[in-house]
Amino acid sequence: MSFDLSVIPNKNILLAVTGGIAAYKSAILVRRLKDAGFNVRVVMTEGAQAFVTPLTFQALSGYPVHTELLNPEAEAGMGHIELARWADLLLVAPASCDVLAKFACGLANDLLSTLYLATKAPVWVAPAMNQQMWAAKATQRNLNTLIEDGVHVIMPDAGSQACGDVGLGRMPEPEDLAHQVTAYFHQAQREIAEKFGLLAGKHVVITAGPTREAIDPVRYISNHSTGKMGFALAAACYAAGAKVTLIAGPVSLDTPNGVARINVASAQKMLEVSLELLEQGCDIFIATAAVADYRVAKVAEHKIKKSGDELQIALIKNPDIVATIAQQEKRPFMVGFAAETHNVEEYAAGKLVAKKLDMIACNDVSRSDIGFASDENAMTVFFADAYHMSKRDLDKASKQEIAQQLVEAMHDALSKK
Ligand code: C5P
């Protein structure tokens, strides 16, 4: 089982807007929640409609806004019980002191208070009010009751208020609220992945990107690897419940959510970090890095000056990182990659044996539509076990989908061990 932690799969947010000047911020909140991939439906109290019209929220959410409890027409569409069941989260923002009091007492005399009692979804409130009303004993008493009842209270910010006062009571910014909601669902997904994901309980170390071998203080030898495959694999392994450490050569990619990243430049440094991580405990080692085969024998201390028509630079062989790790006593499950321009499968299968790997994924970089800088890839995977070698073809797909298929292949191979 795998859980894509970069997107929120089909989660429903029931956003309740109550009467307060911060209601205008909730219009932007709808946008931000939709940007994050949530389905959003909006409920408005009568007070809220004095500040912003339902039409605004209808246009932004793409659904009719729910305003009344006893409206036969509305109930014929999505009735209050259905709406309460639809929600994966009831977010009340802004939450007035009136709604806090209603929730605390268990009143059910309008749509929102009824939904509060009728939903099994977690309830979050973002109180926003005048600082004196926030500090009032009754408001604080009601908040304590709500916290005891399991409601999550998003604390208001301090600052200058619309009424001219300064103090606690401002609703946090929509971006901040949307971020908190997203983080909550990511965490929930992560907890499921850590229990049931294909790579739950595993520590995966991945090398990615090119290496950079210095010639002198300003020049280096490198290659065109972008690191995309390794980064996609890091995200897929994390989504499958693994703890992931990415050893990245110089690339311009964002670190996938939840993944620990160690930046390195040279092959020697990449090996050093790999060995350190192996000592700390590693279950799966995936080598996607395009490691420079050779490095400069003697790096010049100063910038090499232009002189004759020719310049000779002596190179010496770099260590083979994946092969070195495969020889260690604490040998993890070893996955290699092979990019070839001809005799692709033959060379890849040869590397599987020569480097003592458990699995190797190979692709044909002579094809312009896949590989290196492309977003798509097609691969053949070879597996080694004690007696024979098996093969699995992966269809041409995005690097994310290929990464997902590779996670499944690793899981299958590991479960046969
Ligand atoms: O021998 P070749 O470079 O084609 O092998 C590719 C595989 O070996 C990849 O998995 C790559 O990350 C790994 N490799 C390595 N250290 C090297 C060279 C390659 O880990 N010095």
Side-chain angles (χ1 to χ4, degrees), residues 207 287-293 318-323 335-338 340 351 355:
T207 66
T288 68
V291 182
D293 291 326
N318 257 334
D320 190 311
I321 298 169
V322 79
V335 184
F337 278 73
E340 304 291 347
K351 278 176 196 168
K355 297 184 190 231

Side-chain angles (χ1 to χ4, degrees), residues 13-17 30 40-44 57 61 64-67:
I13 309 293
L14 187 54
L15 174 65
V17 186
V30 174
V40 184
R41 283 181 180 265
V42 180
V43 175
M44 294 180 84
F57 285 101
S61 67
V65 171
H66 305 266
T67 53

Side-chain angles (χ1 to χ4, degrees), residues 128-286:
M129 60 197 69
N130 163 270
Q131 51 88 24
Q132 200 60 49
M133 292 169 83
W134 166 258
K137 279 189 179 154
T139 305
Q140 292 302 314
R141 188 168 59 239
N142 289 334
L143 277 166
N144 283 333
T145 304
L146 292 182
I147 291 167
E148 269 172 38
D149 290 347
V151 172
H152 174 63
V153 178
I154 301 168
M155 287 299 285
D157 289 341
S160 61
Q161 304 195 304
C163 53
D165 280 7
V166 176
L168 269 178
R170 285 162 55 104
M171 189 170 93
E173 294 309 311
E175 289 72 18
D176 182 10
L177 289 177
H179 177 77
Q180 289 190 41
V181 172
T182 309
Y184 167 76
F185 281 101
H186 275 158
Q187 183 54 30
Q189 263 177 292
R190 178 68 190 158
E191 279 165 22
I192 297 170
E194 277 178 1
K195 273 197 190 141
F196 305 110
L198 285 181
L199 301 180
K202 307 277 185 225
H203 180 204
V204 180
V205 174
I206 305 177
T207 66
T211 63
R212 198 176 267 185
E213 311 297 335
I215 298 173
D216 66 15
V218 294
R219 305 185 180 93
Y220 56 79
I221 298 172
S222 193
N223 60 64
H224 291 299
S225 166
T226 58
K228 280 184 186 166
M229 192 65 237
F231 276 61
L233 258 166
C237 290
Y238 180 74
K243 176 185 161 206
V244 183
T245 310
L246 190 55
I247 310 174
V251 293
S252 55
L253 292 173
D254 290 337
T255 310
N257 176 36
V259 169
R261 173 176 180 171
I262 302 172
N263 289 326
V264 295
S266 69
Q268 281 174 301
K269 190 70 194 167
M270 192 174 265
L271 175 61
E272 199 183 297
V273 173
S274 302
L275 287 166
E276 271 167 31
L277 290 171
L278 190 66
E279 269 313 300
Q280 291 167 22
C282 160
D283 302 291
I284 304 176
F285 188 90
I286 309 176

